[in-house]
Amino acid sequence: MRIAVIGAGVVGVASAYMLAKAGHAVTLIDAEAEPGRGASAGNAAQLSWAYGDAMASPSLLKHLPGIVAGHDPAFRVRFRLDPDFMIWGLRFLANMPDRRWWSNTSAILQLADESRRELAALLAEAPLSFDYRVAGKLHLYPDAASFSRAGPLVERKRLLGLDQRLLSRAQAEEVEPVLKSYQGEIAGAVHTPGDALGDAAAFCRELTGFAVARYGVERLFGAKVAGFERYKDRLSAVKFADRDALGVDAAVVTAGPLIRTLAAALPEAACVQPVRGYSLTVEWRDGAPRVSLTDVKRKLAFAAIGVRLRVAGLADIERPDAGFDTDRFAVLRDMANSVLPGYFTAQAGEARWSGERPMTPSSQPIIAPSRGIPGLYVNGGHGMLGWTLAMGSARRLLNILSSMT
Ligand SMILES: Cc1cc2nc3c(=O)[nH]c(=O)nc-3n(C[C@H](O)[C@H](O)[C@H](O)COP(=O)(O)OP(=O)(O)OC[C@H]3O[C@@H](n4cnc5c(N)ncnc54)[C@H](O)[C@@H]3O)c2cc1C
């Protein structure tokens, strides 16, 4: 089949590779000049095989009044009278009770496990260079109450076969000595030794190059998709604003947070709300952490990616066309400096980045035929875990597409 994959972020590039490897003639399309420029460009780099916790959760529900009142610097919500946003918000709230949260979380963990295996298979086939490393991860809990809630969750995950360990502060300091000088509160930590790290943007570039060379994927970059054509009520072509349409037998939308720009043809787009985040990347220096760290109180993630150190965080729900807010970089920098002083000091060479997580109300991605046009498929809405879930999502997409044709 001739298949267009629309969007060359981690999800699109993984999908293009998987479809082409299965024998399809794939064209990978992106509005940008190169792959990995969207939400995948500067994310926290964490391959969270054993994290997978859905965003709508009982613990977020507890913090909701403070977030709505603007008392939590890590979150910002601007309410608006937009029916799609209000429906999304109500569905998000409906996913917060424990039963729904755990059902979403265990489904995400299953997909993360599939991803882990697919990535291992890919790396056995292709020598990709993207600073991949099984760094392990420490979740740092600020107080006895939050740490005591982590115990039952670790036990639930243990029953799924996941390896997480509860550590005292002293034990966490043995795993990552930098924590001896950590200025944030640490009542205890959860250690996930098998979690990994990698540069998602470099992965996009490397895997695109490999898929082109090995499986004949065609690239069409700098080309913004404007819609679709039908023939006899089936998808027949992908339309662009500034060039001829591309005839295809099927198309997959992997447009990340920009899926809404194709909403006219794609009812699923209304289920995806962009949640903006920020990151700062500096040169890694002696004394900086090597193990990946997540500060649970401040919702900060630290990652040593090759020779760089990155901090990522903040979750802002704004108008989709609001763009980024330069003041939020200062908020992120202040929070990072309050716990790990001296690294993120706005020095020359600091790379600032902002991107949007494509969130569904359940945090589960949509991997399905579109309800819009027969022949159109969606692989999107991966929220805060798209890097982790990309390879497994690509395999599921291939399975769905194969079963439909
Ligand atoms: C601050 C932050 C930290 C994060 N940390 C992590 C993490 O540690 N681990 C993790 O697993 N995930 C993390 N994520 C989430 C992850 O980055 C996203 O889920 C993931 O990048 C989404 O990938 P994607 O391929 O769906 O979208 P994108 O990477 O955004 O790719 C979509 C592509 O589609 C293109 N496009 C869109 N519309 C069109 C169109 N009409 N025509 C042509 N091209 C189009 C865009 O140009 C873009 O290149 C984080 C996100 C943020 C914001």
Side-chain angles (χ1 to χ4, degrees), residues 165-184:
R165 301 157 197 187
L166 291 167
L167 304 185
S168 65
R169 176 165 189 154
Q171 289 169 319
E173 286 173 2
E174 273 172 39
V175 174
E176 176 46 87
V178 168
L179 292 179
K180 288 183 183 139
S181 53
Y182 197 76
Q183 304 294 303

Side-chain angles (χ1 to χ4, degrees), residues 8-11 36-48 130-131 196-205 257 275-282 292-293 299-306 308-314 329 332 344 351-358 382-390:
V10 273
V11 175
R37 287 272 191 90
S40 309
N43 69 21
Q46 297 182 332
L47 290 158
S48 302
F130 58 102
D131 287 325
L197 277 176
D199 181 336
F203 176 84
C204 290
R205 290 191 297 272
V275 177
R276 186 168 282 285
Y278 293 77
S279 72
L280 298 169
T281 307
V282 296
S292 184
L293 303 176
K299 306 279 182 292
L300 291 180
F302 294 95
I305 312 166
R308 293 163 297 156
L309 178 67
R310 179 170 295 163
V311 62
L314 308 188
F329 287 111
L332 180 64
F344 298 95
R352 303 191 310 171
W353 175 82
S354 176
E356 295 173 309
R357 307 166 182 91
H382 292 74
M384 51 192 189
L385 287 165
W387 176 212
T388 305
L389 303 179

